Amino acid sequence: LDPLSQDGLDLLESAGSIEYEVRTGLSGQALRDTLAEFDGAICRSGVKITAEALEGNHRLRAIARAGVGTDNIDREAATRHGIVVMNTPGGNTISTAEHAITLMLAMSRNVHPAYQSLLEGRWDRKKYMGSQLAGKTLGIVGLGRIGLSVAKRARAFEMQVLGYDPFFPASRAKEQGIEICQSTAEMLPLVDYLTVHTPLNDETRNMIGLEQIEQIKKGARLINCARGGIYNEEALVAGLKSGQLAGVALDVYPNEPCTESPLFGMPGVLCTPHLGASTEEAQTNVAVEAAELLIDFFTTGAIR
């Protein structure tokens, strides 16, 4: 239902017992009709599989999301219809972790505005004094695959790493060079950088708002390569204007595609259009893994 790497399509082709079609850009009745024709579906983040799209569906048995987040799929509606929803959490781990580090570095060294100044014919070395990562404290909320990969790379940059994840065993943290905090609130006054790697749900939506930004260490920089909405946009704007925040780097937004935001153009802000998993390697990995999920499901009944 979304563009998929050829390697994933080749795997479906080689399965032998599976017929597939590529139908992208669907919504409304066209999507509903298509879903009613097939036993399984593969999507990325583009198509929105809502309760309405699944209404009256008596055939679809499984949906594989080529990526981590499944917030573009109404899982409760799928469950009511007996449809299994699976994702591919490992395929884009490294690419997303690298992008979080990329945003941290580029934001800290004013890479975009400095390059823009050259394009405009200016040589402003003094204007773009930066900050190094070494010796700084990074707070990571969410210590799943991506969070741990970010931690590993941050340690290589000689950063101190704090982590919060209620599901992560403290015994493993020491091995990873992570100091565990008991809450996000405990972490905020201590961090120079904060990055989040959690799903978007009722517990994480607006997790960082005005109250939290007042608590955070003055001059902190925030990064979000997870899901839009974890940081409250209005609070970020207020934090930047007050000087409480030195920078904000976002790859994700509450509503995507996003081409307008009060943050765009503000000093200290660096934004990209959801590029975390946009590498050839990640797209190949998630496509192959999604194809494997459906092949296994339809040939052996396995669910992962």
Side-chain angles (χ1 to χ4, degrees):
L1 296 168
D2 287 309
L4 203 67
S5 167
Q6 188 61 44
D7 293 306
L9 299 179
D10 291 344
L11 191 59
L12 291 174
E13 190 75 46
S14 66
S17 60
I18 293 177
E19 297 177 11
Y20 73 91
E21 292 184 26
V22 178
R23 300 188 190 179
T24 61
L26 300 179
S27 61
Q29 191 63 42
L31 176 60
R32 183 175 168 182
D33 291 344
T34 291
L35 291 174
E37 288 182 46
F38 295 88
D39 301 294
I42 298 177
C43 67
R44 287 169 58 194
S45 60
V47 71
K48 309 300 181 190
I49 302 180
T50 62
E52 290 75 18
L54 296 173
E55 187 178 345
N57 194 308
H58 300 292
R59 178 166 181 178
L60 195 65
R61 295 168 55 200
I63 301 170
R65 161 75 164 93
V68 181
T70 55
D71 42 300
N72 60 315
I73 303 168
D74 190 323
R75 290 167 298 180
E76 291 185 5
T79 300
R80 287 197 301 271
H81 285 79
I83 301 166
V84 174
V85 178
M86 296 177 279
N87 67 343
T88 60
N92 57 14
T93 295
I94 292 175
S95 290
T96 305
E98 286 185 354
H99 196 61
I101 296 291
T102 297
L103 292 181
M104 288 172 59
L105 285 165
M107 172 174 51
S108 299
R109 299 305 299 268
N110 300 299
V111 169
H112 171 70
Y115 178 46
Q116 185 64 38
S117 72
L118 288 176
L119 294 179
E120 295 169 0
R122 292 179 285 112
W123 182 267
D124 291 331
R125 291 185 67 194
K126 293 181 180 179
K127 185 176 180 181
Y128 298 113
M129 183 67 65
S131 175
Q132 67 179 29
L133 299 190
K136 301 299 191 305
T137 299
L138 170 66
I140 303 176
V141 180
L143 296 173
R145 289 177 176 85
I146 297 172
L148 289 177
S149 294
V150 170
K152 180 179 180 181
R153 285 152 180 78
R155 293 287 294 160
F157 279 101
E158 300 179 24
M159 301 185 82
Q160 179 184 357
V161 179
L162 306 181
Y164 169 66
D165 188 325
F167 306 105
F168 190 76
S171 58
R172 284 188 57 203
K174 193 171 184 180
E175 301 170 8
Q176 305 284 344
I178 301 170
E179 182 181 337
I180 288 292
C181 294
Q182 299 306 311
S183 66
T184 304
E186 178 186 338
M187 180 188 292
L188 293 178
L190 307 174
V191 298
D192 301 291
Y193 295 83
L194 179 69
T195 182
V196 289
H197 298 284
T198 72
L200 178 67
N201 53 39
D202 291 340
E203 293 181 6
T204 61
R205 185 176 283 104
N206 294 319
M207 179 172 63
I208 302 298
L210 287 171
E211 180 182 347
Q212 288 73 29
I213 287 176
E214 289 175 359
Q215 298 169 358
I216 205 166
K217 185 177 181 180
K218 187 175 177 63
R221 293 177 169 89
L222 275 56
I223 304 97
N224 185 2
C225 289
R227 280 293 179 267
I230 297 174
Y231 295 154
N232 180 280
E233 189 177 74
E234 294 178 2
L236 296 180
V237 171
L240 288 164
K241 287 182 175 178
S242 70
Q244 187 70 8
L245 298 179
V248 170
L250 302 178
D251 187 45
V252 289
Y253 311 90
N255 297 298
E256 298 182 7
C258 174
T259 56
E260 293 184 8
S261 167
L263 288 162
F264 292 173
M266 290 188 70
V269 173
L270 177 64
C271 294
T272 51
H274 204 150
L275 300 181
S278 293
T279 63
E280 292 181 7
E281 295 85 353
Q283 289 310 308
T284 295
N285 291 341
V286 297
V288 168
E289 194 173 342
E292 287 176 342
L293 288 174
L294 287 193
I295 292 169
D296 290 347
F297 178 77
F298 287 121
T299 55
T300 70
I303 297 173
R304 285 191 288 125

